[in-house]
Amino acid sequence: MQGEQRARTIFLTLWTLITAVKLVIAARLPLFVDEAFYWQEGQHLAMAYSDLPGLTAWLTRLGVELGGAHVLAVRLPFLAIGAALPWMVSRIATRWFGAVAGWQAGSLTLLMPLSATLGMLAVPDVPMALAAVLCLDAGARLLRNVDAAAAMKLALGLMIGALSHYRFIGVIGVGLIALLVLPQGRRMLRDPRVWVALALGVLAWLPLLAWNADNHDAGLKFQVVERHPWDFQWSGLWFLVIQPVLVTPILCVAMWKVALAGTRSGGGARAQWRYFGLVGAVSTVAIFLLGFFTDVERISFHWPLPGYLALLVAVPVVLNGWPRWLRRTGWWLAGGGLALAFGYYLMASTPALREQLAGDKYYPRNFAGWQPLAAVVREELQQMPEGTRVLAGNFKVGAELGFQLRDPRIAVLPHPLNDKHGRTAQLGEWTLLHQGERNTPLLLVLSPSDQRYRDLLERYHQVCEQVGPLPPPRVVSQDHGYQRFLLFRLPAQRAEGPCVTPAMAWMDTPQFGAQVQGAVEVRGWAFKDGVGLSRVELLLDGKPAGTVTYGRPYDITGFWKISSDPQHPNVGFDAQLDTTGLAPGKHWLGLRLHGNDGSVETWQEQAVIVR
């Protein structure tokens, strides 16, 4: 009894503290680009969408209807689900392994980084996790005794899952495999009440199937075919490194012990133990194997979560058989992993901290710069003729600006990113795909940071074909230019003439992160298609620093074959930077590019370390 009370107190304390921290972070953290698009979908209510079934969008709409157009309101339904999941896992574990194990399973759900952070972002994995836990609970109960209540819970879970994500099909498949392996599961599947539940689950897929039928299977093709290479890639081995880090190593070992122990038969709650172990093991192994063939460019580390939740139910039983020092180490490692995960989100939500990651591969660019961009867009719109509309360069800019400006109908140019993320068909259905024709002024907003640098010039020329020569842009730069936007005032009538693009530049020396002292030679190249550059300024920590000689021969047309700068090949620059009076440590070296058309563009900065 004393052990139960202690486990309950720990759970309640953790739940209260962690829920409070999640609320604070969710209120501060800017919307991730996918969240912004789900918000946009929620403003265009439908039964299904090009990238997802309808539930995620409906939940974002519910949030803003309850709390207004604020990031916390968008995430509020997801936070509520995330807060409920530890209680649900705890209840399942209590039913089969006792109250102490139940409270401990709930506490581990609160501490494991993948499950603990669930709900801070308005993403479909949150309702999908809810659906998975409902089905897990129902399946375990049905193994013991088929009754109407458990069958209805199974139906509810299947319906929520079908409305959450295409990936829930995998969860269903894993559950069926586990049931077919168990004699009790095969007996359960012969009961008509279970088939009624399955039939209700199948019906919940009809809106998504109908959308695909009306749109040439665009969503299904994207999720199953287009986003995945389906060629073997050794990068799938990273699963073995990343997943133990994300769930913390000792907890990972304990979950695999559950999976292995679940393969042994026995009485009592052994059928349920085997069920939890099989669901978790089959799910995790299947995702590991798929990782060798599926999309590795976008975030997929959260895919095994439904299987992990199944394993967590029985993990306390395994942990309680280990030495005390090992159990404590596991708990503290889980807590440390959670602290690191929260720390990352806090960093991403704090501009001064986020700036410290500029130039790093972990820089959270998709969270950065949207509020400053919206402020500048409002300024530009006030200075432009009445009736001016915003035109976004891709769906990310359109959705994020839409949320900031409270306008879910911002038009978007065709862009490979729209295709890559499965959003082109949806934008077309909303009639928001814009080909560049116009009879009113437009404020075009481009995000060069979203483009691979080697493809950026080609993208600029594509934009020229769509809207005409580009006038001098206004640059909005965040975090030393690692999130950068260009704003163009396009007149009502398309301008004629050769393509004029934003400037391009590169600094050959010094390289990013180079350690320097004394006099430093700065060399590189810069050009601007259509008009060329008049001069280049060198900046240090945002201030002019030294004289730049621009126009020396530097032939780059071998790589930039389509470049039309009239000054080629004389686009090189040299400068001398005196660092003797600078404080030791990191400084930021940048460029200011002056075009012959009067444009002035600040370029992305790079760090140098003064010794």
Side-chain angles (χ1 to χ4, degrees), residues 39 41-45 57-78 403 408:
W39 165 85
E41 289 179 328
Q43 301 304 301
H44 298 84
L45 285 176
W58 305 342
L59 290 173
T60 65
R61 180 63 177 267
L62 174 64
V64 296
E65 290 294 329
L66 293 174
H70 187 275
V71 291
L72 181 60
V74 172
R75 294 165 173 155
L76 201 57
F78 301 85
F403 178 75

Side-chain angles (χ1 to χ4, degrees), residues 526-540:
F527 66 88
K528 183 176 175 69
D529 275 9
V531 294
L533 295 173
S534 60
R535 63 190 179 99
V536 173
E537 284 185 88
L538 183 66
L539 306 177
L540 184 68

Side-chain angles (χ1 to χ4, degrees), residues 40-59 61 159-166 200 202-215 426 429-430:
Q40 190 174 14
E41 289 179 328
Q43 301 304 301
H44 298 84
L45 285 176
M47 293 301 294
Y49 302 90
S50 68
D51 54 340
L52 290 175
L55 184 57
T56 302
W58 305 342
L59 290 173
R61 180 63 177 267
M159 292 169 69
I160 292 174
L163 295 171
S164 298
H165 203 289
Y166 287 85
L200 291 174
V202 169
L203 290 176
W205 291 97
L206 291 180
L208 192 62
L209 294 173
W211 188 95
N212 277 279
D214 291 340
N215 292 275
Q426 191 59 64
E429 188 173 280
W430 293 335

Side-chain angles (χ1 to χ4, degrees), residues 250 308 335 473 602:
I250 292 179
Y308 290 160
T602 53

Side-chain angles (χ1 to χ4, degrees), residues 315-326:
V315 159
V317 181
V318 171
L319 287 180
N320 289 333
W322 287 0
R324 185 177 182 184
W325 69 268
L326 188 57

